[in-house]
Every structure is written in structure tokens, then in C-alpha cells.
Amino acid sequence: MIDLLVFPGDVVTTSKKNEKTRISSGLIQNGDNIQSSKVGFVRKDLRKKCLWIDNHQNRYIPSVEDTVIGVITERHSFQYKINIGAPRDAILDALSFEGATKRNKPNLQVGDLVYCRVVVANKHMEPEVSCISLHFKKEWMTGEALFTRLEDGYVFECSLEFARKLLSDDCFILNCLGKYIPFEIAIGLNGRIWVKSSRIVLTIVITNCLLNSQHINNNKRMEQMVRILLDRV
Amino acid sequence: NLIVRCDVCGLIVIWRKKSIESRGGETAIRIGMEYISETGLRLDGRRVLESRNIFCEIGINPKSDGSARFEIGNTKCIASVYGPREARYHRDTIHDRAIVKCEFNSVHFSQSTRTTSRKNDRRSNDSAEIIRETVESVLLLHLYPRSQIDISVEVLQSDGGELAAAINCVSLALIDSGCPMKDFICASTSGLIDNTPLIDINYAERGANGPVLLIAALPKSQKIITMQMEHKLELKNLDRCIELGLQGVSQVYEILQETVRKNALQKFQSREQLGV
């Protein structure tokens, strides 16, 4: 059933005895059957070893270990309220930055963009995000931390599956753009993409290339499109 | 037979003799408009078991989370879905599931004469309630406690079967928005004119004042979610009307399914296998 297009109510698989099947977003258990609740393609996540439905969606539903881009909406004494596009706003603890202490912590303002990681996400609680990375242990003061405030640049929204596509290993458009323009990009799984390059005009070109690449499926044509947009600059 | 132009819809129709009554020495010939010809054709040339032409489109409103356009014959409507998102008023929220808010509106130019009724009139509210209850029984609301899903439907052109068209449109918009559902929701009307059961009653046929039954059902399991009727119908005819309503639902489902499939393949055609 992998890579097959399913509709809500379609039975994807039945649970077998002595075999565990992990199911993720878009799949629900109905008795012995595992049914799809969305229109999309059935995929198997090899890292997490679970089945999920790859569908077109604009609304982000938070899930633990997702990397997202949020906008700070409120400042409190020990935490920030941050909008990640989910059904409820998330909480960012003021000290959840690498090397942060009460005297030495980043001073984020309302409206700041933060690239962060979802730590708590379930339907009962407000989601929580954090800027502490498990692998890259650079302190927040150095400005080289992985999860940090995003300064300058330009952020735009897209559908969730486009963000996933950009994060995949064989994403052609990012490699293609990288050949022509040096740029920095942060991709949030909540459908937000932040782009920064040396000139504003180049940032606009990169944004337009990314938005156009959603509809082009031929690598050669994609490269042509990038060259056409760059020629105008 | 008399051939006249109908005042209501402008069609050229045939009035034929229905019956002859004699009372108290006087004879009267009762005539009525011919909604179904002897060859089995209706006013617009359809057969008794045919729905009108259906056209639908997904993803027309870029600002919303999900949107769709649905046209059946000359009845056209659009729907937008926002959510699940933070509830507007916390007092409305429910601790273990999402709430659904629905708005149903006919634009002023939807019928042949311009209407100036206010947005919150009783008919619109009733229709919105029906859509909301239909949708609540299909969505998996327990996945999003304390959230809100907003649905907004506008009827752009009215030619009979607006509520059925609205339900179909909302179903497509919900699928576009990625809200988890148990199945598609498809709706259709069926009615009875001259003792003949029909599928998909349009505005001209509504003028016959026969009963019109709206059925919304889950197409795969043929489970009925909603039935609505504002007329009197004899019990012996009910089964046949329900059966035809479900047939109409299947006809709508074919088109909805095809549109959704094409849309999904188009969106994903540039993807290689993820292998994540």
C-alpha cells in the first residue's frame, strides 16, 4: 500500500498478530483496520519506522522533534508565546537557549522570528518549543547556534508538503540555486521558509524560484526558470 | 395539449390534460404543467434518474486552509475552511474536542430577482446548522481539543438543490484543508412529481410543489448522515425516495472522487519517492 493514493475511509492495512505497526499523521485505527483519514499518499518513514499519509495541507499540526519557524506574539517574565501556525500558540521558555542563565539570556522582542524545535506536542496541552539543539552545542551568544533568532532576510508561507520536499535529500531546486547565488535558508515544517542573501533583489529571486518550483517537475526546466529569473537581475 | 411559456423559469412547457372531473352537472378539465414527458424526459432534457452536470474545483482561495467550488447544473457555490485554529471565544470551546462554526450565505444576485435579506435570516441559519451537524459527525474532532474549525459557504447562483450543493462543496473544502475525516460527505436531492420519483430537483421542478428530500450520506458505506424535507410525503413513497437519494449521492461521489484524485496527482507529480 506504500505510495498509493488513498481517500478518507480507505483501509490501508490490517494489524497482524505479533506484529506492531506504528501509525502517524493521517492514519487512524478502526477495530483491526488501519484507515486513512486524509486524501494523500501512504508513505513509510524509515527513520521512525512508521506509516503516515503525505497530503496537501496548509495548517500545521505540531509533532515532537519538528523544526519550525515561529513569530513571537507575547513576552512574559519566564517564557515567550510564539505563533507556529498550529491550532494553539506555543510556549518558548526564556532559558531554553544553549548556555542561557537568568542573567545571560537572549532578549527577544514581539515580532521576532525564531527557528526552533518542537519539544512537547499533544492534543491536550499547548505545544512547547525550544532552541536547544541535541547535536550542535554552540552557545547562543556566539550567534552560531542552530536554533536561534532569525535576523534580516524574508519569510514566506507555503504548503506543508512543499516544506517537506525542500528538506528531502534529493531536492534539486536548492542545489540549483546554490550554484548561482550564495544564500542562507531556514525551512520550517510548519510551512514557513526564511531566506537571506547578500542583496534584497537576490532574496526576491530566490523566493520566486522556490514558489515556481512547486509547479515544475522537470529538472532541466527548473534550471531554465532559475536562469531566466537571474538574467533579469 | 397547450404549449405556453412558463412565467417562473421562462421555459417553453407543455400543459396537458390531467383529469376530467364532473361535479354537480358541470365538467371541469384539470390541466397541469408537464414536468415529465411521455418519453421520460424532464423539463431540462434529463432522464428521471440523472443528476445535472457537476463541475468542481479545489483550492480556489489561497488565504484559507481549504477551499472548493462546486457547481451542479446552474447552482453554484463556494466554500472556505479555516482551521483547526485558536478559538475566537474561549467560552465556546469544549475540553475534549474541536467546535465547528458554520456560515451559510446566499449572495444577493443568486436568484432571478435581487434579494435584500439580511445575512442572519432564519433560512440561512437553518441551513448553516444542518451543514454544521452533518460535518461534525464526519470530522474526527477529538484530535483537536479546545480548537475551532470555521466553515463559510456562499451560494453564488441558485437553481435548486443549494443545500445539497453546499454540503458537497464543504466536503471538498474540508478534504483540501487536510482535516481528518471518516469519509467523503456527498449530498443529493430526490423528489416526487406526478408519482414519479426523480433525482436532483432543480428550481423549475420545485414549482411542482412535490416533496423534495435532501439526503447527505457517506458514499462508501451508504450510511445516511442527514435527511431534510419540508413537505408531506406518503410513507409508502419514502423508501423509493431514499433509494434514489442514495443513487444521487453515488453519482456525485464519482465526480468528487475523480476531481480529488486528479488534484492530488497534480500536486505530487513532481515528487520523487521520499525515502525519508
Side-chain angles (χ1 to χ4, degrees):
Chain A
M1 256 291 185
I2 308 290
D3 287 338
L4 230 67
L5 178 66
V6 287
F7 289 153
D10 281 353
V11 174
V12 170
T13 177
T14 45
S15 60
K16 306 168 190 88
K17 277 194 184 159
N18 300 329
E19 228 185 77
K20 282 192 200 170
T21 322
R22 287 186 80 178
I23 56 175
S24 190
S25 90
L27 291 168
I28 49 172
Q29 183 182 9
N30 191 355
D32 271 340
N33 292 334
I34 295 176
Q35 284 181 354
S36 161
S37 61
K38 300 187 187 179
V39 172
F41 295 88
V42 183
R43 307 276 190 215
K44 192 162 174 121
D45 187 334
L46 297 170
R47 206 168 45 114
K48 293 187 200 169
K49 296 196 185 50
C50 66
L51 285 176
W52 58 290
I53 302 283
D54 190 5
N55 72 326
H56 163 77
Q57 200 173 314
N58 286 328
R59 171 72 50 176
Y60 172 63
I61 305 295
S63 163
V64 184
E65 291 306 312
D66 277 356
T67 50
V68 294
I69 295 178
V71 182
I72 300 204
T73 54
E74 283 172 29
R75 254 179 80 118
H76 300 292
S77 37
F78 296 116
Q79 65 196 29
Y80 301 97
K81 206 79 184 273
I82 187 166
N83 174 311
I84 54 173
R88 307 183 65 193
D89 283 355
I91 293 180
L92 170 66
D93 198 280
L95 294 180
S96 60
F97 293 83
E98 191 69 46
T101 60
K102 260 167 76 171
R103 302 245 177 94
N104 186 18
K105 59 181 182 187
N107 188 15
L108 302 173
Q109 303 299 324
V110 171
D112 277 353
L113 283 167
V114 184
Y115 180 57
C116 47
R117 172 176 77 93
V118 177
V119 172
V120 171
N122 60 59
K123 62 182 188 180
H124 301 290
M125 300 163 59
E126 274 183 341
E128 275 179 41
V129 294
S130 157
C131 284
I132 295 182
S133 164
L134 298 173
H135 306 290
F136 301 103
K137 295 288 182 189
K138 285 266 182 181
E139 312 245 312
W140 73 269
M141 287 92 72
T142 59
E144 288 169 26
L146 176 62
F147 297 116
T148 177
R149 181 163 72 103
L150 299 171
E151 299 184 33
D152 303 328
Y154 172 70
V155 76
F156 63 94
E157 294 200 348
C158 65
S159 56
L160 304 190
E161 83 273 5
F162 181 58
R164 286 196 294 262
K165 173 184 171 183
L166 287 179
L167 281 171
S168 66
D169 293 330
D170 55 350
C171 174
F172 180 77
I173 183 69
L174 287 179
N175 290 328
C176 179
L177 280 169
K179 278 195 292 189
Y180 299 99
I181 315 172
F183 66 98
E184 206 180 329
I185 189 169
I187 299 163
L189 281 165
N190 54 341
R192 292 187 188 158
I193 301 179
W194 174 83
V195 183
K196 177 177 167 184
S197 70
S198 51
R199 291 161 56 198
I200 294 180
V201 151
L202 291 179
T203 310
I204 297 175
V205 166
I206 295 170
T207 305
N208 285 333
C209 286
L210 289 174
L211 289 173
N212 287 341
S213 75
Q214 286 179 73
H215 309 292
I216 302 176
N217 49 350
N218 186 327
N219 285 351
K220 226 174 73 172
R221 288 230 211 106
M222 246 196 251
E223 180 127 24
Q224 272 179 353
M225 178 262 303
V226 172
R227 286 225 207 100
I228 288 172
L229 287 181
L230 275 175
D231 277 341
R232 298 199 194 154
V233 173
Chain B
N1 289 348
L2 274 176
I3 300 186
V4 296
R5 180 181 282 276
C6 169
D7 288 333
V8 171
C9 56
L11 291 175
I12 303 227
V13 295
I14 301 176
W15 287 59
R16 78 180 137 75
K17 182 169 68 178
K18 282 199 179 242
S19 59
I20 302 179
E21 290 174 358
S22 298
R23 231 186 273 170
E26 288 179 358
T27 313
I29 301 181
R30 190 185 277 274
I31 57 171
M33 188 151 104
E34 185 185 65
Y35 288 95
I36 306 168
S37 78
E38 282 135 7
T39 50
L41 294 176
R42 290 149 80 169
L43 287 174
D44 51 1
R46 282 186 286 153
R47 299 242 158 234
V48 157
L49 296 179
E50 276 177 16
S51 287
R52 292 168 282 175
N53 262 343
I54 297 174
F55 170 77
C56 42
E57 212 180 327
I58 300 183
I60 51 166
N61 183 355
K63 289 282 178 198
S64 63
D65 290 330
S67 55
R69 179 173 134 223
F70 182 86
E71 296 178 17
I72 181 163
N74 285 327
T75 300
K76 302 179 207 247
C77 58
I78 56 175
S80 293
V81 169
Y82 299 86
R85 60 179 178 181
E86 193 99 47
R88 184 110 192 273
Y89 300 111
H90 269 278
R91 59 162 188 260
D92 291 337
T93 58
I94 305 180
H95 72 283
D96 61 348
R97 65 178 188 84
I99 54 170
V100 178
K101 292 226 164 177
C102 186
E103 265 179 18
F104 178 90
N105 186 33
S106 282
V107 295
H108 291 161
F109 48 86
S110 64
Q111 298 193 329
S112 47
T113 52
R114 187 183 168 84
T115 50
T116 45
S117 62
R118 288 187 318 237
K119 192 162 180 175
N120 286 331
D121 68 318
R122 162 108 30 114
R123 249 196 116 65
S124 295
N125 280 345
D126 276 352
S127 304
E129 262 307 293
I130 291 175
I131 297 176
R132 187 182 66 80
E133 289 186 352
T134 308
V135 152
E136 276 190 358
S137 60
V138 177
L139 287 181
L140 302 178
L141 296 173
H142 61 272
L143 295 174
Y144 309 115
R146 279 178 248 106
S147 308
Q148 178 172 311
I149 299 178
D150 288 305
I151 303 175
S152 167
V153 194
E154 294 262 345
V155 173
L156 302 175
Q157 217 173 289
S158 211
D159 189 31
E162 295 89 15
L163 190 47
I167 292 176
N168 292 324
C169 202
V170 164
S171 174
L172 281 176
L174 285 169
I175 284 183
D176 186 40
S177 74
C179 283
M181 303 163 67
K182 293 182 194 152
D183 197 352
F184 278 75
I185 316 165
C186 295
S188 175
T189 50
S190 68
L192 205 65
I193 298 179
D194 294 342
N195 281 320
T196 316
L198 307 171
I199 290 185
D200 194 16
I201 309 289
N202 65 14
Y203 185 77
E205 285 162 351
R206 260 214 319 237
N209 282 324
V212 175
L213 173 70
L214 164 85
I215 292 195
L218 303 181
K220 278 203 206 55
S221 47
Q222 295 273 296
K223 284 192 187 162
I224 299 177
I225 316 175
T226 303
M227 289 212 289
Q228 188 231 17
M229 186 166 67
E230 292 168 350
H231 307 90
K232 289 188 201 170
L233 175 65
E234 285 166 14
L235 215 50
K236 61 180 184 189
N237 291 325
L238 181 64
D239 278 333
R240 185 84 178 112
C241 279
I242 291 181
E243 191 192 311
L244 283 198
L246 290 176
Q247 270 189 42
V249 157
S250 305
Q251 290 177 14
V252 170
Y253 180 54
E254 267 179 51
I255 312 283
L256 292 195
Q257 193 188 36
E258 192 48 48
T259 306
V260 166
R261 184 184 298 272
K262 247 193 260 177
N263 195 273
L265 289 175
Q266 198 181 33
K267 283 217 160 60
F268 283 82
Q269 72 183 358
S270 54
R271 313 281 310 276
E272 270 102 58
Q273 179 166 349
L274 264 194
V276 171

